[in-house]
Amino acid sequence: MCGIIGYFGKRNAAEILVDGLRRMEYRGYDSAGIACLNDGRIGLVKNAGKIKGLRERVDASEQAELLHATLGLGHTRWATHGAPNEINAHPHLDASGHFVMAHNGIIENYKSIKEGLAKHGIKCVSETDSEALVQLIAYCYNGNLEKAVSEALKKVKGTYGIVVMTDHEPGKLVAARCGSPIVIGIGNNETVVASDASAIIPHTRDALYLEDYDMAVITADGVQMFDLQHAPVSRDVTEMDWDSDAAEKGDYAHFMLKEIFEQPDAIRNAIRGRLDFDMGTSILSGLDFSPRDAAQIGRVLVVGCGTSMNAGMVGEYAIEEMAGIPAEVEQAAEFRYRNPIVTPHDLVVAISQSGETADTLAAVREAKHKGAVVAGLCNVVGSTIARETGRGVYLHAGPEIGVASTKAFTCQVAVMLMMALKLGRGRRMTRHEGEKISRWIERLPELIEKVLAQDETIKAVAQKYADHENAFFIGRGYLYPVALEGALKLKEISYIHAEGYHAAELKHGPIALLSENTPVVALLNNIPGKEKSIGNAEECKARKAPVIAVVSEGDEAAAEGFNDMIVVPDCPPCIAPIPTVVALQLLSYHIAAARGCEIDQPRNLAKSVTVE
Ligand code: AGP
């Protein structure tokens, strides 16, 4: 949820920390701070609000510690406990001022820890759960920082990714994780610790990922790894495949717009080398399924949250249609707590762009515990879900910085289609049918380019509806999850109360909300159910709701009588979700832009939800 960073090397720590926080700002952006250690003293600057404000404070600061330090840590926050303000911002000092820490996660038993410390006269100054941990570390300190950290961590319940330092040991940083991601970049005479790769990439490509209950001690001699009992542990250094430019906006006004326009290439990367036209199937080697394994699969359960869950719903339709295997989509948080019936013949597919979403990770652990075959579908290489599932498919969509997910969704759907194709060819689908679908998947970049070419048209439609405060999206079949996704995008970035519904569901209640102030985006693509959906759109029009009709090329007549029309390429039902959602992404983007919203960092959101 938050982004934490640590640096130990030869260069100006403050500069590297603030730049790293800027690159991780999508993880949380309501307050931030850095602490640097120089000449045995700790310098600290915190700021309520964006990293830009923190940079100004750091640049204006005369604190020698900040100006000359080559050791430090920092944090950008998504508040869980305590309002976003300077006192609650991280890094947190302990009462003595000798220990400082940045934390990502939730310390569930922080109240009892604070009460226990208060009995020893140790008072916390902030409302945060995190401060309890640095106070506890200081309380446990007996001359060795990593010993104090492990002793304190054995007393906490909850999740953490932390970096800590003390002016008692000025040549050392300690990092540890349980539930929240920590990656360590091994550079040339320097080490960078961070919550994700985006803050590491500008400095090195060599990274090692901490597992739960790992602790790393970083000194001038490098990185030593231990578990909380101080037994040495070793983790492989892996090479990260992103370049730092990929995490820059370029000429685009927003990362979201850049990522929308990156989709043709992102899809090309997601399908490259994965379509076998001769056999009419897909090659998803990461799934590591023999045809015999695939034949054993009795049901597919897809778990995820938000946009990833919506992509899973398209996959559900495709798997049932192409492979005839029962498929279900589960909201990950519900799956992990409702004690689901899972058997060894179940394939559980965990979809997560970040690969760090706490509820999806817990659903993976629950499914593994129940003996299911578990596979991940992730974008971030080396992420926790990718490592814990041990089998799966990377999207190769490149870094997705905009909080509102776009290219990850279309790549997730493309991979789910390839998974359905593979399972289908292992059952009743013919080679010819398989080849036809493979050819359509191969054409996806071209279909998306056709939609992107209409950006100005869609922008004009968007500007007509930017002042509304409510909106509906309706669709049937493969387009029902697209209606949900369209509504989610508009909600996230424009703060319009948008709802997605199955077109047939309106009459069972939601239609009561319709008026001239509630535009309806009706997905009337030329696929089965179109006539019914047109009927539902007519019912909306009858209640004076303006209707924006999304129709297939060559079937513009379907939009007759409605207020506005957006045309997307004509294609089979299983393919339609991808070009259609790109049109809805652009519609939402231009509505939010017309409303002057913070599109890349919408209020109250964060890119990766690493707490429950
Ligand atoms: C999507 O735009 C949102 N950022 C959010 O719903 C997101 O899809 C959800 O938090 C899941 O994230 P994940 O794919 O990284 O697991």
Side-chain angles (χ1 to χ4, degrees), residues 43 50 527:
K50 298 282 175 71
I527 65 171

Side-chain angles (χ1 to χ4, degrees), residues 305-308 352-354 357 403-405 412 488-489 492 609:
C305 304
T307 285
S308 293
S352 175
Q353 187 285 131
S354 61
T357 299
V403 168
S405 184
Q412 287 164 345
L488 178 59
K489 284 288 98 62
E492 284 188 87
V609 182

Side-chain angles (χ1 to χ4, degrees), residues 330-486:
E330 294 258 1
Q331 205 289 334
E334 193 52 19
F335 182 86
R336 66 178 294 187
Y337 284 118
R338 77 174 181 82
N339 191 17
I341 299 166
V342 173
T343 77
H345 292 294
D346 287 331
L347 165 64
V348 173
V349 179
I351 306 186
S352 175
Q353 187 285 131
S354 61
E356 301 294 350
T357 299
D359 286 324
T360 308
L361 177 58
V364 164
R365 291 172 176 165
E366 181 68 8
K368 283 170 77 175
H369 193 70
K370 289 185 182 291
V373 177
V374 181
L377 216 166
C378 299
N379 190 37
V380 176
V381 175
S383 57
T384 308
I385 290 173
R387 284 180 286 116
E388 294 213 5
T389 49
R391 68 163 80 200
V393 185
Y394 280 125
L395 299 183
H396 298 308
E400 189 176 68
I401 309 292
V403 168
S405 184
T406 53
K407 61 178 180 176
F409 176 83
T410 49
C411 291
Q412 287 164 345
V413 171
V415 171
M416 287 307 286
L417 291 177
M418 290 191 285
M419 199 183 282
L421 180 61
K422 181 180 175 69
L423 294 170
R425 285 290 287 125
R427 299 188 181 218
R428 299 300 306 137
M429 183 188 283
T430 64
R431 193 196 67 71
H432 177 64
E433 288 164 337
E435 194 210 339
K436 256 183 24 193
I437 293 171
S438 314
R439 294 285 178 206
W440 272 107
I441 294 174
E442 186 194 31
R443 287 188 58 199
L444 283 169
E446 163 217 329
L447 302 180
I448 294 173
E449 275 151 4
K450 276 190 161 182
V451 178
L452 296 175
Q454 296 179 68
D455 183 36
E456 284 309 313
T457 314
I458 297 173
K459 184 175 177 181
V461 173
Q463 285 165 343
K464 282 177 65 178
Y465 297 96
D467 299 334
H468 289 278
E469 293 307 327
N470 299 286
F472 280 12
F473 289 71
I474 60 173
R476 286 171 179 257
Y478 276 100
L479 295 172
Y480 169 40
V482 178
L484 297 176
E485 179 56 15

Side-chain angles (χ1 to χ4, degrees), residues 201 205 241-248 399:
I201 290 273
R205 288 174 171 283
D241 68 351
W242 288 347
D243 62 48
S244 57
D245 292 348
E248 296 299 342

Side-chain angles (χ1 to χ4, degrees), residues 71-388:
L71 169 65
L73 52 87
H75 185 276
T76 182
R77 186 172 186 234
W78 190 90
T80 57
H81 297 74
N85 60 33
E86 221 169 294
I87 293 173
N88 292 333
H90 300 218
H92 286 291
L93 280 169
D94 79 302
S96 73
H98 292 296
F99 295 81
V100 65
M101 182 202 75
H103 167 238
N104 171 25
I106 292 181
I107 307 296
E108 290 166 15
N109 60 337
Y110 75 102
K111 286 201 178 113
S112 60
I113 293 173
K114 283 187 175 182
E115 284 150 20
L117 290 167
K119 293 198 185 97
H120 299 279
I122 299 169
K123 237 183 121 345
C124 291
V125 294
S126 77
E127 301 159 88
T128 68
D129 55 314
S130 310
E131 187 193 352
L133 180 51
V134 70
Q135 301 281 18
L136 187 59
I137 290 169
Y139 176 76
C140 297
Y141 188 73
N142 189 11
N144 176 288
L145 182 58
E146 58 268 30
K147 288 225 166 63
V149 169
S150 60
E151 197 183 328
L153 291 178
K154 286 177 197 149
K155 296 186 173 65
V156 300
K157 258 173 63 24
T159 59
Y160 56 81
I162 59 171
V163 266
V164 195
M165 65 186 186
T166 171
D167 54 17
H168 295 318
E169 297 175 68
K172 185 187 283 184
L173 260 183
V174 173
R177 82 153 275 175
C178 175
S180 302
I182 293 266
V183 51
I184 297 183
I186 313 294
N188 190 3
N189 287 325
E190 62 182 15
T191 306
V192 186
V193 186
S195 296
D196 72 39
S198 59
I200 305 249
I201 290 273
H203 311 293
T204 176
R205 288 174 171 283
D206 297 332
L208 53 87
Y209 294 85
L210 269 61
E211 302 289 353
D212 279 354
Y213 307 110
D214 281 359
M215 190 168 57
V217 180
I218 295 134
T219 63
D221 306 330
V223 182
Q224 289 181 295
M225 307 270 296
F226 305 94
D227 61 20
L228 295 186
Q229 281 65 41
H230 291 276
V233 294
S234 81
R235 301 286 174 225
D236 302 334
V237 174
T238 56
E239 190 179 347
M240 297 181 283
D241 68 351
W242 288 347
D243 62 48
S244 57
D245 292 348
E248 296 299 342
K249 252 191 301 209
D251 303 336
Y252 288 91
H254 295 97
F255 279 106
M256 182 181 179
L257 189 63
K258 174 184 176 238
E259 288 151 9
I260 291 173
F261 276 83
E262 279 178 344
Q263 291 181 101
D265 286 340
I267 294 272
R268 286 189 187 97
N269 294 337
I271 65 177
R272 184 169 294 112
R274 291 174 168 173
L275 292 171
D276 176 347
F277 300 111
D278 295 341
M279 286 305 291
T281 187
S282 67
I283 305 157
L284 300 172
S285 46
L287 276 181
D288 186 19
F289 278 163
S290 70
R292 178 172 290 282
D293 296 338
Q296 307 294 322
I297 295 170
R299 179 177 60 156
V300 178
L301 292 173
V302 182
V303 293
C305 304
T307 285
S308 293
M309 186 173 73
N310 294 338
M313 283 180 72
V314 179
E316 172 189 4
Y317 284 83
I319 288 167
E320 295 204 343
E321 182 183 56
M322 295 183 198
I325 302 173
E328 292 159 35
V329 173
E330 294 258 1
Q331 205 289 334
E334 193 52 19
F335 182 86
R336 66 178 294 187
Y337 284 118
R338 77 174 181 82
N339 191 17
I341 299 166
V342 173
T343 77
H345 292 294
D346 287 331
L347 165 64
V348 173
V349 179
I351 306 186
S352 175
Q353 187 285 131
S354 61
E356 301 294 350
T357 299
D359 286 324
T360 308
L361 177 58
V364 164
R365 291 172 176 165
E366 181 68 8
K368 283 170 77 175
H369 193 70
K370 289 185 182 291
V373 177
V374 181
L377 216 166
C378 299
N379 190 37
V380 176
V381 175
S383 57
T384 308
I385 290 173
R387 284 180 286 116
E388 294 213 5

